[in-house]
Amino acid sequence: HRLFRSLQGVAFSDDGRTVFLADYSHGILALDLATRTVREVPAPVDVSTLGIDGLVFWRDALIGIQNGASPPRVVRLQLSPGGERVERLDVLDRHLPLADEPTTATRLGDRLYYIGNSQWPQYEDDGRLKPGARRSPTAILELPLTP
């Protein structure tokens, strides 16, 4: 599809009819599985949905790992009823010492688990380790989604 430029995260709606896709350079997209149509999910002008990597659906919202923001952060994109648009963005977590380059996420119950340090900055574009780069043990971080 013309909007599929850099797909990163995939999240199914609770009813299983819609697949939400995080496209790093286009933002949030929605794929209707019955009609196989793709649409952009618009957001308010002061909300950026670019640079999202991991994505999960939770309570009529999308939880995203937005490592394309500075500092990287975990965000909740509150969806309108029916998931037609993003109504607001809430920052759930950001700039943790262990989350310098967060990525991929999954949800178990009301808890989010994600890789805090993907180590991408340690590598060249061709996959070689950068000279002098230091890798650290993988950090799997846990974030409660309820207060």
Side-chain angles (χ1 to χ4, degrees):
H1 190 278
R2 66 177 176 78
L3 292 173
F4 294 174
R5 184 177 302 156
S6 182
L7 296 177
Q8 303 293 321
V10 177
F12 285 83
S13 62
D14 284 341
D15 64 10
R17 295 179 182 170
T18 305
V19 178
F20 291 96
L21 305 162
D23 187 284
Y24 211 76
S25 57
H26 278 138
I28 302 298
L29 307 172
L31 166 63
D32 182 303
L33 291 175
T35 64
R36 300 180 71 126
T37 57
V38 177
R39 64 177 171 78
E40 294 180 87
V41 179
V45 295
D46 61 338
V47 169
S48 175
T49 60
L50 301 177
I52 292 179
D53 197 349
L55 193 68
V56 299
F57 191 87
W58 181 75
R59 295 188 181 175
D60 298 320
L62 294 167
I63 308 299
I65 307 300
Q66 196 171 32
N67 59 20
S70 184
R73 58 198 187 169
V74 179
V75 297
R76 176 179 35 240
L77 301 169
Q78 187 60 54
L79 299 172
S80 63
E84 296 301 315
R85 68 186 178 285
V86 173
E87 293 187 332
R88 73 175 189 277
L89 179 147
D90 300 309
V91 175
L92 302 179
D93 208 355
R94 70 173 165 208
H95 200 57
L96 294 172
L98 291 176
D100 59 346
E101 185 71 23
T103 188
T104 310
T106 193
R107 183 182 59 82
L108 181 61
D110 289 343
R111 304 189 86 66
L112 182 78
Y113 296 88
Y114 65 100
I115 297 170
N117 58 341
S118 66
Q119 321 246 0
W120 280 109
Q122 307 303 327
Y123 291 87
E124 301 285 357
D125 289 341
D126 65 4
R128 290 181 297 119
L129 193 62
K130 289 180 179 177
R134 296 179 50 118
R135 291 177 290 180
S136 56
T138 301
I140 306 295
L141 302 177
E142 176 184 8
L143 181 66
L145 295 174
T146 55

